Amino acid sequence: MKLSKEAEKTLQKSMRQNRTSDRDRKEIEDLIEMMPQDRVLLYKNVISNPIGDLPRYSIHIRIQHLLTFSTFLLLAFTGLPVHFSDAFWAQPFNSMLGGIEVTRTIHRTLAAVMIFTMIYHVATLIAGTVIQVVRGRFDMRRTVIPMYKDLQDMKEDVMYFAGTRKQRPEMDKFMYKQKIHYFAAAFGNSVMVLSGSAFLFPDIWASILPSGWAYYFQDIMRLAHPHEALLALVVIAFWHWYNVHLAPGRFPMQWTYLTGKITREHQIEEHFLEYLRNLVEQPSERAYLRALLQKYDLRAQEEQLPEGAPASAPADGQ
């Protein structure tokens, strides 16, 4: 495989950061040389454990995700009956919980847990970044920070799905869709916390805002809070859950959020630059890939394919 400039840059930086020995460097370069240019041929031949093969998320990120999605769903199921308390469907729900005041108390308690999770997440990001910088291993391209390359990846991915490009782009640890998901959730949570605080602490907001603004601010927040909740439910149900768990190849569930690991096939297909880093950081993965390439000789298979023909995997390679 002849690496692109971006892939070569990623590989060389990872080897420098990990202080890769000359022997390991030679092993990695030989592996790259053995890999087929067509990544479809590569990821269709690897054996993947549905629970995950390669590291992706730390235990902190997994805890934060569990707290966020569980509190989000419970907040929606307790907040909407409070806002629409006169609706025929809301009254039995509030009564089942012990009345609307009990529902409000549950809702506010869950909100406190979500705010704690947001603070925990920001603290983890700051601490993790500082540690990586001190160790000389920080790479901004490995973060969720949007970059110009994400726009290029989006364009090339659209071209791939439109049939005008043979392969998906070489994307990093977090691809453009995941960054959109992340910042959409961050924006939505911020709106919910801001608007919720306006209900709980109207006097404080009245003392902060310029004279005459408090009334309009409260009206805007009362509109924003329930409608942002409905929007978030729709986005989670029809966009996030489908892309992460229900899409072909992921159905019925992707285990990454529980195990912290990603499947080998998924990483090579959608996060190839991160897979190159794993080749540097995981000697066991280098051993697996070498055995696979020697067994199937994928370079030779690639040369036998007619130009433009789709790659396929041996039956026992799935």
Side-chain angles (χ1 to χ4, degrees), residues 58 60-61 64 117-133 138 142-145 174 182-183 186:
S58 70
H60 296 289
I61 297 300
Q64 291 157 19
T117 306
M118 294 169 66
I119 295 171
Y120 176 21
H121 180 62
V122 172
T124 301
L125 290 181
I126 294 173
T129 301
V130 170
I131 291 171
Q132 293 297 321
V133 169
F138 178 74
R142 215 170 180 177
T143 69
V144 294
I145 298 173
F174 299 104
Y182 178 84
F183 285 101

Side-chain angles (χ1 to χ4, degrees), residues 135-147:
R135 292 177 177 175
R137 299 187 60 178
F138 178 74
D139 189 345
M140 187 176 293
R141 293 171 299 176
R142 215 170 180 177
T143 69
V144 294
I145 298 173
M147 305 187 74

Side-chain angles (χ1 to χ4, degrees), residues 45 59 72 93 116 132 182 252 266 279 289 297:
N45 278 275
I59 184 63
F72 165 76
F93 185 88
F116 163 78
Q132 293 297 321
Y182 178 84
H266 186 182
L279 289 179
L289 183 60
D297 193 7

Side-chain angles (χ1 to χ4, degrees), residues 269-288:
E269 179 187 6
E270 292 192 351
H271 309 282
F272 182 67
L273 299 182
E274 182 69 3
Y275 185 70
L276 292 178
R277 295 191 187 97
N278 271 314
L279 289 179
V280 176
E281 299 171 1
Q282 306 287 329
S284 59
E285 184 61 22
R286 295 201 296 269
Y288 169 81

Side-chain angles (χ1 to χ4, degrees), residues 80 83-84 192 199 221-231:
L80 292 174
H83 182 78
F84 299 102
M192 297 305 289
F199 307 154
M221 293 300 101
R222 290 187 184 280
L223 284 172
H225 201 75
H227 288 89
E228 175 60 33
L230 287 171
L231 175 62

Side-chain angles (χ1 to χ4, degrees), residues 5 23 29 69 71 87 152 167 169 173 200 224 231 245 253 259 268 271 282 302 305:
K5 291 182 179 179
R23 179 181 177 180
E29 290 173 350
F69 92 76
T71 53
Q152 294 177 309
Q167 296 192 68
K173 181 173 182 177
L200 287 176
L231 175 62
H245 299 294
M253 183 179 74
T259 65
I268 296 173
H271 309 282
Q282 306 287 329
E302 182 179 44
L305 286 173

Side-chain angles (χ1 to χ4, degrees), residues 11-140:
L11 181 66
Q12 294 300 326
K13 182 170 184 177
S14 181
M15 288 194 288
R16 288 196 306 271
Q17 289 179 331
N18 287 276
R19 297 177 175 85
T20 305
S21 67
D22 291 340
R23 179 181 177 180
D24 287 344
R25 181 181 290 268
K26 182 66 167 59
E27 179 187 3
I28 294 166
E29 290 173 350
D30 288 346
L31 274 175
I32 300 297
E33 180 64 28
M34 293 170 64
M35 291 164 64
Q37 198 67 35
D38 189 347
R39 282 181 286 114
V40 177
L41 192 62
L42 180 61
Y43 71 71
K44 288 296 183 182
N45 278 275
V46 298
I47 297 175
S48 292
N49 182 346
I51 295 178
D53 303 293
L54 300 166
R56 181 163 177 81
Y57 295 136
S58 70
I59 184 63
H60 296 289
I61 297 300
R62 282 176 275 161
I63 291 172
Q64 291 157 19
H65 181 272
L66 285 169
L67 287 173
T68 298
F69 92 76
S70 58
T71 53
F72 165 76
L73 291 176
L74 292 171
L75 280 165
F77 290 138
T78 54
L80 292 174
V82 170
H83 182 78
F84 299 102
S85 57
D86 293 333
F88 73 93
W89 55 267
Q91 293 176 4
F93 185 88
N94 288 325
S95 298
M96 180 180 68
L97 293 180
I100 191 170
E101 290 304 322
V102 175
T103 308
R104 283 197 181 103
T105 301
I106 296 172
H107 187 74
R108 292 168 181 174
T109 303
L110 291 167
V113 176
M114 175 170 276
I115 292 171
F116 163 78
T117 306
M118 294 169 66
I119 295 171
Y120 176 21
H121 180 62
V122 172
T124 301
L125 290 181
I126 294 173
T129 301
V130 170
I131 291 171
Q132 293 297 321
V133 169
V134 170
R135 292 177 177 175
R137 299 187 60 178
F138 178 74
D139 189 345
M140 187 176 293

Side-chain angles (χ1 to χ4, degrees), residues 72-73 77 229-246:
F72 165 76
L73 291 176
F77 290 138
L230 287 171
L231 175 62
L233 274 175
V234 171
V235 168
I236 292 296
F238 295 101
W239 183 29
H240 181 73
W241 281 348
Y242 172 78
N243 277 282
V244 176
H245 299 294
L246 305 180

